[in-house]
Amino acid sequence: GQQLNQSPQSMFIQEGEDVSMNCTSSSIFNTWLWYKQDPGEGPVLLIALYKAGELTSNGRLTAQFGITRKDSFLNISASIPSDVGIYFCAGDGGGGSNYKLTFGKGTLLTVNP
Amino acid sequence: NAGVTQTPKFQVLKTGQSMTLQCAQDMNHNSMYWYRQDPGMGLRLIYYSASEGTTDKGEVPNGYNVSRLNKREFSLRLESAAPSQTSVYFCASSEFSGRREVFGPGTRLTVL
């Protein structure tokens, strides 16, 4: 099946620093999604990307759909303590009426105040 | 709108006991999913239902059964719980398969 490689697995940063994480796949995806999971909660959608090359922002978050359609990037600028959590990428590879999302294993972000 | 609701929020079982995790959504979504989340393993799909009346196995279906009761509700049953099923279980739904999924708050299950 399709697999997503998400990196890094974890990050420890100081408040105010910028953060970058990415997901790569050996397969082409039609949609890329980025979710955030706060401690003790379910994942919440941050950004959705639908076209190769698309760059979309949501406040301090910016995500890009890679030109090859095999990768996506998420950047967080000027991190704050509430950015702490697990960030998941997810992709939709298409392929029929029963296709479903594939999730990366997540990036655990810790922000030191 | 409540979105996706899950009950119970916490549960402790003994090995061999059975239980059903309940999930409901009020967004008129067609597709629903059950995931488990373990440390370092990300979200692993247990079962999904692309539409009312259909269910399919995901990545880790062994030891579980599901029922798509109606368009709103999708339950997950553990017939004979094992310690390896200690996990956090998330239900999710989407308008159609492969579209953005909305997650519930999770059920934290411990099997002793």
Side-chain angles (χ1 to χ4, degrees):
Chain A
Q2 297 168 324
Q3 290 190 0
L4 291 181
N5 298 309
Q6 187 170 353
S7 65
Q9 277 190 304
S10 61
M11 302 181 74
F12 297 85
I13 63 170
Q14 293 297 125
E15 182 176 359
E17 290 183 356
D18 296 343
V19 173
S20 290
M21 59 190 78
N22 69 83
C23 271
T24 60
S25 172
S26 57
S27 305
I28 289 173
F29 283 90
N30 297 324
T31 302
W32 284 95
L33 305 172
W34 285 93
Y35 286 83
K36 183 196 176 194
Q37 183 179 24
D38 288 329
E41 305 289 331
V44 174
L45 183 67
L46 296 173
I47 292 178
L49 303 159
Y50 298 106
K51 293 194 308 186
E54 181 180 355
L55 187 70
T56 297
S57 293
N58 178 4
R60 293 177 296 105
L61 279 61
T62 301
Q64 184 164 23
F65 193 141
I67 291 290
T68 65
R69 294 168 63 194
K70 293 183 178 181
D71 56 10
S72 180
F73 305 86
L74 176 70
N75 295 315
I76 305 173
S77 62
S79 58
I80 58 178
S82 62
D83 289 334
V84 164
I86 304 175
Y87 291 79
F88 291 100
C89 62
D92 152 36
S97 60
N98 278 341
Y99 59 63
K100 53 197 180 300
L101 296 179
T102 300
F103 282 85
K105 292 195 185 311
T107 294
L108 174 62
L109 178 64
T110 303
V111 179
N112 295 319
Chain B
N1 287 348
V4 178
T5 57
Q6 292 184 236
T7 55
K9 290 185 72 71
F10 300 92
Q11 183 71 49
V12 178
L13 294 177
K14 294 182 180 178
T15 297
Q17 287 185 315
S18 63
M19 80 160 293
T20 300
L21 280 64
Q22 306 287 353
C23 174
Q25 52 90 10
D26 63 0
M27 296 169 286
N28 201 35
H29 283 171
N30 291 284
S31 304
M32 298 185 73
Y33 314 83
W34 276 105
Y35 293 89
R36 61 177 288 173
Q37 184 178 31
D38 303 293
M41 300 296 289
L43 295 162
R44 292 187 291 171
L45 184 65
I46 304 171
Y47 272 94
Y48 67 104
S49 171
S51 60
E52 187 179 356
T54 69
T55 59
D56 286 285
K57 295 179 181 179
E59 181 184 355
V60 288
N62 291 345
Y64 305 95
N65 285 302
V66 291
S67 295
R68 183 75 183 265
L69 304 170
N70 48 55
K71 191 171 185 179
R72 288 188 63 248
E73 298 172 288
F74 188 38
S75 63
L76 178 72
R77 183 161 178 83
L78 287 70
E79 289 291 351
S80 179
S84 61
Q85 294 178 304
T86 293
S87 188
V88 182
Y89 291 85
F90 289 101
C91 177
S93 71
S94 64
E95 185 181 9
F96 296 103
S97 292
R99 302 287 177 86
R100 55 180 74 186
E101 293 177 18
V102 178
F103 284 81
T107 294
R108 283 141 188 85
L109 176 66
T110 301
V111 183
L112 302 175

